[in-house]
Amino acid sequence: MVEKVVLLSGPIASGKTSLRQSLKERFDVFPVITGEGIRQRFPKANRVREEYQKLGDRLDRRKGVNWVLADLEKVERNAPDGCIIVVDSVRIQRQIDEIRNAYGRRVIHIHLSAPKEVLASRYQTRASARYREVRHYDQLQANKTERNISKLAQNADVVIDTNMCSPADVFVRAAAHIGFYGRNFQRSVDVLVGGQYGSEGKGHIAHYLAPEYQLLIRVGGPNAGHTVYSPRYTFHSLPSGTGCSPSSRLLIGPGAVVFVPTLLREIADCHVDKNRLSIDPQVMLITNQDIRKESVLRDTIASTASGAGAAQARRIMGRSKSVKLAKDEKALRPFIKESCAVLDDAYARGDSIFLEGTQGTGLSLFHGQYPHVTSRDTTVTGCLAESGISSSRVRKVVMVCRSYPIRVQDPAADGLTSGPMSREVTWATVAERSGIPEDELKKAEVTSTTGRQRRVAEFDWYLLRKAASLNAPTDIALTFVDYLAGTNKRARRFEQLKSDTIRFIEEIERVACAPVTLISTRFHERSIIDRRAW
């Protein structure tokens, strides 16, 4: 059964065809084009505007037959349940009344208008593929139906003066009346962020959760690598669920920065096409010069020197110059689409949306230990701003923490590190406590992006509280619990964890004021204990 029937009316050149085409392109509505109906009934007719007007009047005079309703019912029979049909256009009140009698409250009549002089000016510049147009707009008024069409506005549900609106304005007003944007803001977005200094295992958690969502979003830059299993792969630009959730659509938000060769490699590796991936036109591109500029930070704060920070700075300082964005890159043009439109469509469909943040709260440009910070705000609010999502859309916030926080040590930095940590320990200490060989730990604990060895510290309870205050998580995902006890690797249920580990988790819940609902026992497909109630 059809969900809604949208009737378009208005004088020639009022914008009906543009509106119908925009609705078809954006929302995939099913069109009924009355001009095509006339052509099919009179295939030998001259393709002249005046001739089609006369033939339409001839069809209208047939007693007991509403040919527009008949075409509408034909489209409905071949359309899926729940579809929306747009009729372009209705020309007399009887057509409208009989369609309303057949479909009741599912009918929405939108009338477009404009001053005559504006219509005449538009008509002189239009080019129709269906008709040979008359020379002057006044000639169209010789047809009585066209002359009286403005009277249909009296009983229309919506009247839009297209002279006072741009085509985009007309589109959003019509779409809102049809109900494509809904009547309120549903909380359909879940956000994943790191609670420490990055490398908390966000990719592992995102990979596990991704199949539950229709839209996956990534923000940040290639200075953050998220590694997933099955098969093992490190994502720097695409969402971590790209491979494990092939039916999910993908979006890179406008606040992201990308290095084109890295992004194109991931697109190719994961066989992602233009129908699945959308890249906002305002995504910032990293240049080779950006990477060179950041090389000094590699030896001072152990930066990844990926160019993300330099690109962000250039985005701010280069506003008086020609700054190249994603929309300007030929290789990315097939994927370019405004994130606002992608998100609006997802909201209208009631899709579940997953926003994957990068790095960790302790690295936030504003809330971390400056200058040992990254080039962006890594909290929930920062990720939302980069993606163009309002906080009123958020349903769940999952904050990922690991049992032993880490930061990197740069061997070339003559003892300089990526920043301080509270109560640093050695991997030998972790090995002794967990029973996992030290060599195995060190082999696993190298950074995804630069391959540098990580430093390790005791769990930072103060940082946990600060991160919880900044992010207000609804859930905590605790990773690397095998580092607390190697036997935790064998746990498949919560009660199988060591008693000390369970007490540790209970303490995290008290300090963070949020439940630990996801627990990663190792880097494996069956490694996550899921305690969620959602």
Side-chain angles (χ1 to χ4, degrees):
M1 179 183 291
V2 63
E3 180 181 341
K4 290 180 182 176
V5 175
V6 180
L7 307 180
L8 302 182
S9 68
I12 294 170
S14 60
K16 301 183 299 296
T17 299
S18 295
L19 175 57
R20 183 250 303 164
Q21 290 173 339
S22 296
L23 291 170
K24 170 63 177 172
E25 180 181 346
R26 178 76 177 275
F27 298 115
D28 198 26
V29 300
F30 288 78
V32 175
I33 304 173
T34 54
E36 291 297 314
I38 294 173
R39 183 184 62 79
Q40 290 170 8
R41 289 173 172 84
F42 302 99
K44 296 182 179 180
N46 293 326
R47 295 176 69 86
V48 179
R49 169 74 71 174
E50 292 173 305
E51 178 71 11
Y52 269 57
Q53 287 179 322
K54 293 176 183 177
L55 292 173
D57 291 341
R58 179 177 165 184
L59 290 172
D60 291 337
R61 287 193 293 269
R62 291 182 178 179
K63 291 185 178 180
V65 177
N66 185 336
W67 63 279
V68 179
L69 175 59
D71 286 357
L72 168 57
E73 291 172 337
K74 182 179 179 181
V75 170
E76 182 185 11
R77 286 193 293 271
N78 296 300
D81 285 345
C83 69
I84 293 177
I85 296 178
V86 175
V87 180
D88 176 15
S89 61
V90 288
R91 301 174 70 238
I92 60 174
Q93 189 62 45
R94 182 169 69 86
Q95 291 174 346
I96 300 168
D97 292 341
E98 293 186 11
I99 292 173
R100 285 195 184 279
N101 288 337
Y103 290 92
R105 295 180 63 184
R106 288 177 288 170
V107 176
I108 300 172
H109 176 199
I110 300 176
H111 184 85
L112 305 184
S113 67
K116 183 178 178 181
E117 61 273 16
V118 173
L119 296 171
S121 176
R122 291 177 185 170
Y123 186 76
Q124 294 305 314
T125 59
R126 67 185 279 147
S128 174
R130 294 203 304 269
Y131 314 110
R132 188 166 70 249
E133 301 287 357
V134 298
R135 179 170 296 181
H136 298 295
Y137 188 79
D138 286 343
Q139 292 176 253
L140 299 172
Q141 303 302 305
N143 180 268
K144 182 180 179 181
T145 301
E146 181 64 28
R147 203 163 54 243
N148 293 328
I149 207 161
S150 61
K151 295 179 180 179
L152 297 181
Q154 296 174 2
N155 295 316
D157 298 298
V158 185
V159 177
I160 301 175
D161 185 341
T162 60
N163 182 49
M164 300 177 67
C165 301
S166 69
D169 294 334
V170 173
F171 169 75
V172 296
R173 289 179 65 182
H177 280 285
I178 296 169
F180 282 118
Y181 302 135
R183 301 303 183 202
N184 51 39
F185 294 121
Q186 299 293 330
R187 294 187 178 273
S188 58
V189 180
D190 295 345
V191 188
L192 180 135
V193 293
Q196 295 157 321
Y197 303 108
S199 300
E200 299 98 346
K202 293 183 295 299
H204 186 46
I205 300 298
H207 183 268
Y208 174 77
L209 294 175
E212 301 177 16
Y213 300 88
Q214 285 79 51
L215 178 62
L216 308 177
I217 307 175
R218 177 82 181 255
V219 292
N223 49 335
H226 289 182
T227 303
V228 304
Y229 55 82
S230 185
R232 189 182 181 97
Y233 191 83
T234 300
F235 289 96
H236 290 90
S237 298
L238 293 179
S240 297
T242 298
C244 68
S245 186
S247 62
S248 300
R249 295 178 303 281
L250 311 174
L251 172 64
I252 298 178
V257 290
V258 300
F259 186 52
V260 174
T262 299
L263 175 56
L264 291 177
R265 182 176 66 249
E266 291 182 19
I267 289 172
D269 288 348
C270 299
H271 308 289
V272 175
D273 62 31
K274 65 180 181 180
N275 296 318
R276 188 182 180 203
L277 171 64
S278 299
I279 302 173
D280 191 272
Q282 299 211 91
V283 166
M284 187 70 185
L285 303 185
I286 297 171
T287 65
N288 290 324
Q289 186 178 8
D290 292 327
I291 296 173
R292 288 193 294 270
K293 280 185 176 181
E294 282 196 2
S295 61
V296 64
L297 298 178
R298 181 184 291 112
D299 296 334
T300 55
I301 61 170
S303 166
T304 61
S306 64
Q312 292 282 39
R314 187 163 51 82
R315 181 174 197 150
I316 297 169
M317 297 303 294
R319 283 174 290 178
S320 61
K321 304 174 184 177
S322 178
V323 173
K324 191 175 182 181
L325 302 175
K327 64 182 179 181
D328 305 312
E329 173 56 51
K330 183 178 180 181
L332 299 182
R333 284 175 190 165
F335 304 96
I336 297 300
K337 191 170 184 179
E338 285 192 3
S339 59
C340 187
V342 175
L343 288 166
D344 253 346
D345 291 352
Y347 300 146
R349 288 189 297 264
D351 289 350
S352 295
I353 302 169
F354 186 67
L355 171 57
E356 179 183 353
T358 59
Q359 301 161 307
T361 300
L363 296 179
S364 168
L365 177 62
F366 308 125
H367 308 292
Q369 297 165 313
Y370 192 88
H372 302 283
V373 293
T374 191
S375 55
R376 52 185 288 270
D377 181 20
T378 54
T379 64
V380 167
T381 49
C383 294
L384 290 171
E386 288 185 13
S387 59
I389 297 175
S390 166
S391 58
S392 64
R393 299 279 191 184
V394 176
R395 182 184 70 134
K396 297 289 182 182
V397 174
V398 180
M399 189 170 77
V400 187
C401 298
R402 54 182 292 161
S403 57
Y404 285 90
I406 61 90
R407 298 191 85 157
V408 300
Q409 171 83 47
D410 189 342
D414 193 24
L416 293 173
T417 69
S418 57
M421 289 193 295
S422 174
R423 295 168 297 117
E424 192 167 335
V425 296
T426 65
W427 287 113
T429 299
V430 178
E432 182 181 355
R433 294 175 182 175
S434 65
I436 301 173
E438 182 180 356
D439 290 346
E440 183 180 327
L441 292 172
K442 285 187 172 182
K443 183 179 179 180
E445 293 295 344
V446 293
T447 59
S448 301
T449 302
T450 60
R452 292 195 293 240
Q453 188 68 61
R454 292 164 173 159
R455 296 177 291 131
V456 64
E458 301 281 13
F459 192 84
D460 191 333
W461 297 96
Y462 178 82
L463 178 58
L464 172 67
R465 182 57 233 162
K466 182 177 181 180
S469 179
L470 289 167
N471 294 301
T474 61
D475 297 75
I476 302 292
L478 181 63
T479 57
F480 296 91
V481 298
D482 51 328
Y483 286 15
L484 298 173
T487 55
N488 285 332
K489 287 184 178 182
R490 298 193 294 270
R492 298 293 180 269
R493 302 185 304 277
F494 182 67
E495 66 269 18
Q496 292 177 319
L497 295 169
K498 283 203 68 175
S499 57
D500 287 350
T501 301
I502 291 175
R503 286 193 292 272
F504 180 75
I505 290 171
E506 291 172 342
E507 188 73 5
I508 287 176
E509 292 178 330
R510 276 190 289 270
V511 174
C513 298
V516 176
T517 55
L518 295 164
I519 303 166
S520 174
T521 60
R522 55 183 172 145
F523 192 68
H524 184 270
E525 189 170 359
R526 283 202 63 201
S527 68
I528 294 182
I529 298 173
D530 192 337
R531 307 172 70 214
R532 292 176 298 157
W534 48 277

